[in-house]
Amino acid sequence: MVETIQWTDDGVVMIDQTRLPRVVEYVTCRDFREVAEAIRSMVIRGAPAIGVAAAMGVAIGVQKSNGTDFRAELEVICDTLAKTRPTAVNLFWAIDRMKQLALSMEGKPLAEIRQRLVEEACLVREEDIAINRAIGAHGAPLVPDGKRVLTHCNAGALATAGYGTALGVIRAAVEAGKKIAVFADETRPFLQGARLTAWELQQDGIDTTLITDNMAGHFLRAGTIGCVVVGADRIARNGDVANKIGTYSVAVLAKENGVPFYVAAPISTLDLTLSSGDLIPIEERAAAEVTHVFGVAVAPEGIGVANPAFDVTPNRYVTGIITEKGVAYAPYEESLPRLAASR
Ligand code: MRU
């Protein structure tokens, strides 16, 4: 399976997701500012992968700090990483985890703090892979055998430290011997479905058909799709789900056609501080992502553009939320906090 992100003696090594699938290239970030830029420019993307990158960003930042004012330096590192992208809560979750650990060690020799932070960042990565395997194990029984699964964006190995959340469910179903074929939405404007999901499923030999986003309704109505599985960037306490722009339309079409719509995400994607999805900050990205495709203009110069990177799917469209601790069902206000608190 593809290596999304790794800690090495040279720095944080990531596969460059802006160049896939045409070019398979790894970049090395040698300080926290380079990690922050990699997150901002989507060299690395996908909520759990962003979390791992941020954890490694804090660790690499502290390796290079001079230790004269540890608190102030830590603050700059964490703030810089936190300002990269606003929607995926895993970013803030990982920064906070690293920051709390660093602060709890204040006063100890810097070499010891540095070593411990590297270990913690690597642990965040390893835990993520184990979490995805657990999500897969809980989700696989929900996938109907012999039908197609529709997915949107990329919630795969590339969006995590490995295996994937939504694609982890699909992988686990295939590993369990189910005959599964995938419909992957291309996911305009950044084309995570066409460039990333199609690529990684093809590498695994999983039967995949790429469709444009506006074809999803047609295939859902045709009755060939057994279920929809997507990832999430942030899930509010009431079960409203922020995920890649276009997810909401798929969810409504799924319900209209009686097709189960599942969200697969780690507990770290829950934001129990938010009562509803209306409070989730939605990232607005550059107009050029809409007006241009691979540098070629597809719209008249000067046209007005909107480019929200995410939308919110209200909880009534969500059949179940698959986490590493089990599957939550409505009413989510009750099931999500209970699941989060369980061991
Ligand atoms: O803008 P991106 O590519 O970072 O958005 C990614 C998504 O919306 C994914 O579906 C989500 O992060 C889940 S990834 C396991």
Side-chain angles (χ1 to χ4, degrees):
M1 202 185 311
V2 60
E3 288 288 358
T4 309
I5 179 165
Q6 271 177 307
W7 180 273
T8 71
D9 289 343
D10 290 337
V12 183
V13 177
M14 307 168 184
I15 193 165
D16 186 346
Q17 301 194 30
T18 63
R19 306 201 68 195
L20 285 171
R22 289 180 302 170
V23 180
V24 181
E25 188 180 73
Y26 289 83
V27 297
T28 304
C29 299
R30 292 189 166 78
D31 63 40
F32 74 92
R33 289 188 201 281
E34 286 183 7
V35 173
E37 182 51 26
I39 297 172
R40 196 202 57 73
S41 63
M42 293 172 68
V43 164
I44 189 154
R45 35 64 51 200
I50 290 172
V52 176
M56 292 189 175
V58 175
I60 206 167
V62 172
Q63 305 307 299
K64 305 268 167 87
S65 70
N66 60 30
T68 45
D69 188 342
F70 182 68
R71 244 173 209 260
E73 282 176 290
L74 185 65
E75 220 43 67
V76 171
I77 294 164
C78 292
D79 278 3
T80 306
L81 289 161
K83 284 193 181 118
T84 50
R85 299 192 70 192
T87 305
V89 75
N90 308 60
L91 174 75
F92 309 102
W93 168 86
I95 293 170
D96 192 54
R97 173 166 165 172
M98 297 297 287
K99 192 176 183 177
Q100 294 315 321
L101 176 64
L103 290 176
S104 75
M105 295 186 76
E106 221 180 345
K108 295 216 160 125
L110 195 54
E112 194 182 322
I113 302 178
R114 285 181 173 151
Q115 177 59 26
R116 186 64 195 84
L117 289 179
V118 173
E119 284 166 10
E120 189 71 6
C122 292
L123 187 64
V124 171
R125 177 183 177 278
E126 280 154 34
E127 280 176 5
D128 186 59
I129 299 171
I131 284 168
N132 294 332
R133 292 254 173 205
I135 289 173
H138 288 297
L142 302 172
V143 178
D145 201 358
K147 287 254 181 182
R148 289 185 184 274
V149 180
L150 177 74
T151 191
H152 189 75
C153 192
N154 172 265
L158 289 164
T160 61
Y163 202 67
T165 54
L167 297 195
V169 170
I170 290 168
R171 285 192 167 102
V174 170
E175 284 163 20
K178 289 190 173 177
K179 301 231 169 321
I180 307 291
V182 178
F183 266 4
D185 284 350
E186 67 169 348
T187 319
R188 271 282 284 156
F190 207 71
L191 299 174
Q192 288 94 331
R195 296 189 304 103
L196 308 177
T197 296
W199 182 75
E200 70 164 88
L201 290 179
Q202 191 180 57
Q203 302 272 309
D204 272 14
I206 295 177
D207 179 351
T208 303
T209 302
L210 179 66
I211 59 172
T212 63
D213 300 329
N214 51 1
M215 296 174 187
H218 169 77
F219 287 110
L220 282 161
R221 199 175 81 86
T224 51
I225 294 173
C227 72
V228 178
V229 188
V230 298
D233 289 83
R234 198 185 290 225
I235 302 172
R237 193 180 183 88
N238 69 345
D240 290 351
V241 174
N243 192 49
K244 180 53 53 195
I245 193 76
T247 302
Y248 173 41
S249 323
V250 174
V252 174
L253 287 163
K255 186 161 188 169
E256 164 71 14
N257 290 286
V259 176
F261 177 90
Y262 294 108
V263 174
I267 293 288
S268 57
T269 302
L270 300 182
D271 187 348
L272 299 178
T273 67
L274 300 184
S275 56
S276 94
D278 297 343
L279 300 168
I280 298 174
I282 300 295
E283 176 182 10
E284 183 75 24
R285 291 191 65 85
E289 288 181 358
V290 177
T291 55
H292 289 65
V293 177
F294 294 115
V296 178
V298 292
E301 222 179 299
I303 195 75
V305 170
N307 188 13
F310 303 95
D311 60 25
V312 173
T313 299
N315 57 18
R316 63 182 176 278
Y317 295 105
V318 180
T319 310
I321 298 177
I322 307 162
T323 76
E324 69 272 30
K325 292 185 175 183
V327 185
Y329 295 99
Y332 293 107
E333 284 90 347
E334 290 166 22
S335 60
L336 287 178
R338 199 169 50 231
L339 207 58
S342 69
R343 295 200 131 255

